[in-house]
Amino acid sequence: MTEPVRRVDGDHASAVPPVINVANALTMFRIVLVPVFVVALFVDSGESTTWRIAAFVVFAVAAITDQVDGRIARGWNLVTDFGKMADPIADKALIGAALLGLSILDVLPWWVTIVILAREIGVTLLRFWVIRHGVIAASRGGKLKTLLQAVAIGLFILPDVSVLHTVAWVVMIAAVIATVVTGLDYVWQAIRLRSSGSSVE
């Protein structure tokens, strides 16, 4: 692994983690898995049980790396500007590809995809809107929303089984509610940030 660079700040020197590290490698791996997932999902127009299971496995692996790379970056002091930029891109690419793919295959209603993607795009725009005034901190609700989305989408990717389908809808409804509620919370935080000019925790 590349040796960390030493950044001198006044009389103090701090280690700057290299861009090429384990956490960023996992993030890039997740991005690479997105087209693999899409191909597996659309084989035989989504009717192949084997390929739907394969798509689920790829999606699950990608979702797990989302949890692992963040913990590694924070635990091993490998947080980089590249990682801060690439990680959310990888997350949105995976979730977006899965939602669009499932809606195209008529597995998931378009209104669900539109609500979730509109929220994700809206929050991203909000972050840019307030970036000069402070940072909108990630909330526990936002993390719960992400978990619910991943679990619900994973269940919808699996071949249609009546029991799983029911569970998938229960989790998806919870995910949509969490998506809307946390989205409104981000709007409120953004308004407060613009008004106060300081970071909202």
Side-chain angles (χ1 to χ4, degrees):
M1 182 180 294
T2 306
E3 290 295 324
V5 178
R6 304 295 295 185
R7 175 182 292 165
V8 178
D9 182 13
D11 296 328
H12 302 282
S14 59
V16 178
V19 174
I20 301 177
N21 59 54
V22 177
N24 288 344
L26 286 173
T27 298
M28 295 307 299
F29 177 62
R30 186 159 73 257
I31 293 176
V32 170
L33 285 181
V34 173
V36 177
F37 160 74
V38 171
V39 170
L41 182 64
F42 278 90
V43 170
D44 196 20
S45 299
E47 298 296 328
S48 171
T49 298
T50 300
W51 281 102
R52 285 284 286 272
I53 293 175
F56 170 81
V57 171
V58 174
F59 180 85
V61 170
I64 290 172
T65 65
D66 179 31
Q67 300 298 316
V68 174
D69 63 3
R71 292 182 180 181
I72 289 177
R74 292 186 295 271
W76 297 3
N77 191 29
L78 295 176
V79 177
T80 63
D81 290 338
F82 173 80
K84 292 178 182 178
M85 176 186 67
D87 188 66
I89 291 175
D91 297 342
K92 288 176 174 56
L94 178 65
I95 296 297
L99 290 170
L100 290 170
L102 290 171
S103 291
I104 290 172
L105 293 174
D106 290 326
V107 175
L108 189 68
W110 276 102
W111 69 264
V112 174
T113 295
I114 292 171
V115 167
I116 293 178
L117 292 186
R119 185 270 189 196
E120 298 301 330
I121 294 172
V123 167
T124 299
L125 294 177
L126 279 176
R127 289 184 183 278
F128 282 108
W129 184 53
V130 302
I131 195 168
R132 292 185 178 181
H133 300 270
V135 177
I136 301 178
S139 65
R140 291 183 179 180
K143 294 177 181 178
L144 174 62
K145 175 269 306 180
T146 301
L147 176 61
L148 289 172
Q149 285 181 2
V151 172
I153 290 171
L155 291 174
F156 273 103
I157 292 171
L158 287 170
D160 189 10
V161 178
S162 57
V163 176
L164 283 180
H165 190 70
T166 300
V167 174
W169 265 114
V170 171
V171 180
M172 181 59 80
I173 290 173
V176 170
I177 292 174
T179 296
V180 173
V181 171
T182 56
L184 294 175
D185 179 59
Y186 274 116
V187 171
W188 173 240
Q189 289 193 58
I191 293 174
R192 288 177 60 195
L193 260 178
R194 291 281 294 192
S195 299
S196 66
S198 60
S199 176
V200 177
E201 296 297 335

